[in-house]
Amino acid sequence: GDSVTQMEGPVTLSEEAFLTINCTYTATGYPSLFWYVQYPGEGLQLLLKATKADDKGSNKGFEATYRKETTSFHLEKGSVQVSDSAVYFCALSESGGYQKVTFGTGTKLQVIP
Amino acid sequence: KAGVTQTPRYLIKTRGQQVTLSCSPISGHRSVSWYQQTPGQGLQFLFEYFSETQRNKGNFPGRFSGRQFSNSRSEMNVSTLELGDSALYLCASSLSAANYGYTFGSGTRLTVV
């Protein structure tokens, strides 16, 4: 079945550092890929998405490129802020049928001033 | 535009009791999904409803059930509560999960004592 693997956390960075959170997936067919963010005490929020190979999703300075050849969707940001501290989830959704969504285990990011 | 509304936000129940959680999706969204989130197991898919029909079901015991009404509002019910049911229960609605992703509510924090 489908699966999403993301790097173990927590990841601790200093403010203005470069961020990469790795995400790889296994799926049959051509899934859509997503990054969600969860701030303490809240539900998940959609951060960015890509629906086909080579698409780049971007939002709030975060970017991720759908790489079919490496089955990856790594999240990057050039300069993190303290306010980016949260848990980040990579997810995929089947493109047909019931469009089941599969989430990774989440990566906690802590940014220190 | 109103978001996904989950009620109540917090709930404390005793073992053996039952509980009903409510979710009002974004207007126009006919798909509603439920997830259980715990520190140890991460995000676990419970079920998905579309136009009052259950389309997908996760690997949870029959004590967990749900339904969706004609106005797309959804409820989930847990009977004979166990300590291990303590979790954050998240509801998400979507127009099309693969094309647009989910919009999540803030969740219901259930504590079983």
Side-chain angles (χ1 to χ4, degrees):
Chain A
D2 297 345
S3 67
V4 175
T5 303
Q6 52 183 115
M7 62 190 290
E8 293 282 331
V11 173
T12 302
L13 294 173
S14 297
E15 205 165 21
E16 299 183 1
F18 184 86
L19 169 71
T20 300
I21 299 178
N22 291 336
C23 171
T24 57
Y25 67 90
T26 303
T28 54
Y30 304 95
S32 297
L33 302 174
F34 304 87
W35 277 100
Y36 288 85
V37 59
Q38 185 176 32
Y39 299 100
E42 298 182 13
L44 281 70
Q45 300 175 23
L46 178 63
L47 181 58
L48 53 83
K49 66 179 173 72
T51 56
K52 62 182 188 297
D54 299 325
D55 269 0
K56 177 186 282 188
S58 61
N59 186 24
K60 300 181 181 178
F62 291 91
E63 293 183 338
T65 301
Y66 189 161
R67 302 285 188 201
K68 187 170 181 292
E69 63 276 13
T70 54
T71 61
S72 65
F73 193 55
H74 305 320
L75 182 68
E76 296 181 335
K77 187 176 185 183
S79 176
V80 293
Q81 305 300 311
V82 172
S83 57
D84 294 327
S85 298
V87 180
Y88 292 82
F89 292 88
C90 185
L92 69 81
S93 174
E94 297 168 352
S95 55
Y98 297 137
Q99 299 187 357
K100 181 183 173 184
V101 179
T102 302
F103 285 89
T105 53
T107 302
K108 184 174 183 178
L109 169 65
Q110 182 177 13
V111 181
I112 54 177
Chain B
K1 186 176 183 182
V4 177
T5 303
Q6 291 189 246
T7 56
R9 284 296 308 273
Y10 302 94
L11 209 46
I12 299 176
K13 290 287 189 178
T14 305
R15 267 185 306 175
Q17 287 187 312
Q18 77 166 19
V19 66
T20 299
L21 312 181
S22 179
C23 172
S24 294
I26 288 177
S27 178
H29 288 192
R30 292 194 289 167
S31 170
V32 174
S33 299
W34 289 88
Y35 288 82
Q36 181 195 67
Q37 186 177 29
T38 59
Q41 298 296 317
L43 277 166
Q44 301 285 310
F45 172 72
L46 282 154
F47 26 66
E48 186 227 355
Y49 286 87
F50 182 85
S51 293
E52 301 180 67
T53 300
Q54 186 180 88
R55 280 203 304 195
N56 253 322
K57 189 177 189 304
N59 190 27
F60 276 80
R63 299 185 297 107
F64 291 81
S65 63
R67 59 179 175 169
Q68 186 179 32
F69 302 95
S70 58
N71 62 357
S72 293
R73 190 177 71 84
S74 177
E75 289 182 347
M76 67 162 282
N77 183 277
V78 188
S79 62
T80 320
L81 284 165
E82 300 177 358
L83 296 178
D85 297 332
S86 296
L88 180 66
Y89 289 88
L90 292 166
C91 166
S93 74
S94 66
L95 273 174
S96 161
N99 292 323
Y100 305 106
Y102 282 145
T103 302
F104 280 86
S106 297
T108 294
R109 172 74 62 184
L110 172 65
T111 302
V112 182
V113 298

